[in-house]
Amino acid sequence: MRDTLLIALYAFAGAAAAGVAGAGVLRLIRRRSLTASLAVVAAVGVVAMLTGTLAVSWAMFLSSHDLTVVTTVVAMAAVVSLATALLLGRWVVARSRELTDAARSFGDAGAFAVPHGPATAELDALGRELAATSARLAESRERERALEKSRRELVAWISHDLRTPLAGLRAMSEALEDGVAADPGRYLKQIRTEVERLNDMVGDLFELSRIHAGTLPLSPTRISLYDLVCDALAGADPLAREHGVRLVGDRVEAVPVEVDGKEMTRVLGNLLVNAIRRTPPDGTVAVAAERTDDGVVLSVTDGCGGIPEEDLPRVFDTGWRGTDARTPPAGAGLGLAIVRGIVEAHQGRATVRNIPGGCRFEVTLPTA
């Protein structure tokens, strides 16, 4: 028993020396190829066995003949181990280089394709993760392009909408200044109207900037949806009378919601104004509110004749006004974008769909 313990001690000491040396070598080549590290690991195992055998032989526990036999066996094992480590290292490095080449497509705005062929479980998982990341980046780039297009359209349309009233204000002010205005009172009234429209446009831009920046202040309170709808209908009634449009709100349930009353009134006002302006005279704009399994659904239905299917996904985009909305009364295309921003800030969603004769805007809010 004592001899066995001594043999184990000498063998451990020799193998530990080889292990320490191997760890030092691995540290020195830690930035080199994986093939070199695998070769060192294989060599450490063989050298540890050899040094342990030599230590046991030096302690007179092993004859010279037995030492020669063991050394020969270890040498053959070393050859096989090193060859296997080199082959494995080259294979792993080749798979890694394929992943590296495929990952370069990220920088070129391309799609990542997982290399074909067998790979280790770790490399295979890395490839799947890179493919998923590539898909997310592609979606992000597509969203960024859509947003950039929206911004360009918004700048173009805002510039167009600002130029027209500013030119009118300049002409009217010059006429008043030169004393050639036939009816100064009418000119002053028109100037006031144009200034109010410009003020509304600047207010919409400021509201939209706060929504995009995520700094829209909300003060949620418990309020009945019936009261919100009644206030919005009362505010939109003069515009509806001017356009000869009937407002209907007889399907509104008194459902409690936790919302910012001021912001939700703006949402309803924007939807109603948009519906009234798109509905022909003698048409009807209907407002409904009901509780569903998803929450509280508030809807505004108009008689605009419907929206082209290809334009439906863009209705809530910033600056979108449709192909026929180029006149100043149509606004700057910010109203529906503000609607979506405010609703999403309340953890809700805004959608639109066509119905016979018009379209239906729906706002879904969490139930209080």
Side-chain angles (χ1 to χ4, degrees), residues 139-325:
E139 293 175 359
S140 177
R141 285 192 292 265
E142 187 62 31
R143 286 195 300 270
E144 184 63 26
R145 282 193 290 266
L147 286 174
E148 185 59 29
K149 182 179 179 181
S150 255
R151 292 188 190 101
R152 288 196 299 267
E153 291 178 349
L154 175 62
V155 170
W157 288 341
I158 287 292
S159 300
H160 173 270
D161 288 344
L162 286 176
R163 187 180 295 113
T164 301
L166 287 175
L169 288 172
R170 180 178 180 178
M172 287 185 288
S173 62
E174 289 177 351
L176 289 172
E177 184 180 5
D178 296 338
V180 297
D183 187 355
R186 183 173 65 85
Y187 275 55
L188 291 173
K189 183 178 179 181
Q190 184 63 27
I191 288 175
R192 179 183 178 86
T193 300
E194 295 295 334
V195 170
E196 289 178 351
R197 188 157 69 85
L198 289 173
N199 182 69
D200 292 341
M201 190 181 301
V202 172
D204 286 345
L205 284 172
F206 180 66
E207 182 84 353
L208 195 62
S209 68
R210 292 195 299 178
I211 290 173
H212 286 172
T215 58
L216 181 66
L218 295 178
S219 301
T221 57
R222 189 180 181 90
I223 189 172
S224 171
L225 203 56
Y226 181 84
D227 295 335
L228 280 176
V229 172
C230 288
D231 292 343
L233 289 175
D237 185 64
L239 181 65
R241 292 178 180 274
E242 179 183 345
H243 285 75
V245 174
R246 295 187 300 274
L247 290 180
V248 177
D250 54 1
R251 292 179 50 226
V252 180
E253 298 180 10
V255 182
V257 289
E258 294 250 357
V259 296
D260 187 305
K262 178 183 177 182
E263 297 298 337
M264 284 308 302
T265 299
R266 182 165 195 163
V267 167
L268 287 172
N270 285 358
L271 290 176
L272 286 172
V273 168
N274 181 73
I276 292 170
R277 286 176 173 169
R278 300 299 180 188
T279 300
D282 294 330
T284 301
V285 172
V287 183
E290 57 185 353
R291 190 195 305 268
T292 66
D293 295 337
D294 296 333
V296 178
V297 177
L298 172 66
S299 64
V300 176
T301 305
D302 60 34
C304 66
I307 300 173
E309 291 296 330
E310 62 272 14
D311 287 341
L312 281 177
R314 298 193 55 206
V315 167
F316 292 99
D317 288 353
T318 302
W320 185 88
R321 298 187 298 183
T323 55
D324 59 344

Side-chain angles (χ1 to χ4, degrees), residues 87-108:
L87 288 175
L88 176 61
R90 289 174 63 86
W91 178 72
V92 173
V93 168
R95 300 287 83 76
S96 300
R97 286 175 178 170
E98 290 176 358
L99 277 177
T100 301
D101 294 338
R104 287 197 182 99
S105 61
F106 287 147
D108 301 329

